Amino acid sequence: MPTDPQPPAPAPGGHPGTVAEDLALYREKFKSRLPETLDELHGPAHGVVQLPSHVAWSGMTSYDMSKPRQRMGLYRTVLHEGLRDDIAAYIDRELLLLMWPVLRTLVGRTVRSVWEDAFPQLATRARTAA
């Protein structure tokens, strides 16, 4: 008598589809924070920027825009933790385009792909710089 085939093994966490669903929700979180266009980005290009605690909830909260590492850190933090209004207020379009080839290596894969999918000019900048 033949035996019934075994059902597929459950995904980690015990629930089929959980990992894929979690990744989709994570990606959607970042997509919902995107501006409509890069022209909405009017953040500061100079001076010292103090991020609110809901964005910089751990680590540095004040960034000197004249220091490249601090500027990169601010952008990384805002792209990961900022809401749509925060992104518009703290990210500058021209600086983002200029910094993207390096910045894209410092942000998570999901953040990078969401931004490059939405704004092909970022992906083009990355390819051009390579």
Side-chain angles (χ1 to χ4, degrees), residues 19-63:
V19 172
E21 290 169 9
D22 287 350
L23 289 174
L25 287 172
Y26 190 60
R27 185 173 172 79
E28 204 50 46
K29 173 181 98 168
F30 291 112
K31 280 178 69 173
S32 71
R33 298 174 180 187
L34 291 174
E36 292 293 321
T37 71
L38 293 181
D39 292 334
E40 293 178 31
L41 305 177
H42 296 289
H46 307 285
V48 175
V49 177
Q50 181 73 36
L51 291 178
S53 60
H54 73 272
V55 176
W57 49 268
S58 175
M60 288 181 65
T61 58
S62 182
Y63 298 83

Side-chain angles (χ1 to χ4, degrees), residues 1 6 17 33 36 45 47 52 55 57 59 61-62 65 67 71 74 77 82-83 101 107 112 115-116 119:
M1 177 162 139
Q6 281 189 316
R33 298 174 180 187
E36 292 293 321
V55 176
W57 49 268
T61 58
S62 182
M65 296 299 283
K67 297 182 178 179
R71 187 172 55 233
L74 178 138
T77 299
L83 302 175
V107 298
R112 178 175 54 246
W115 277 82
E116 289 183 351
F119 306 110

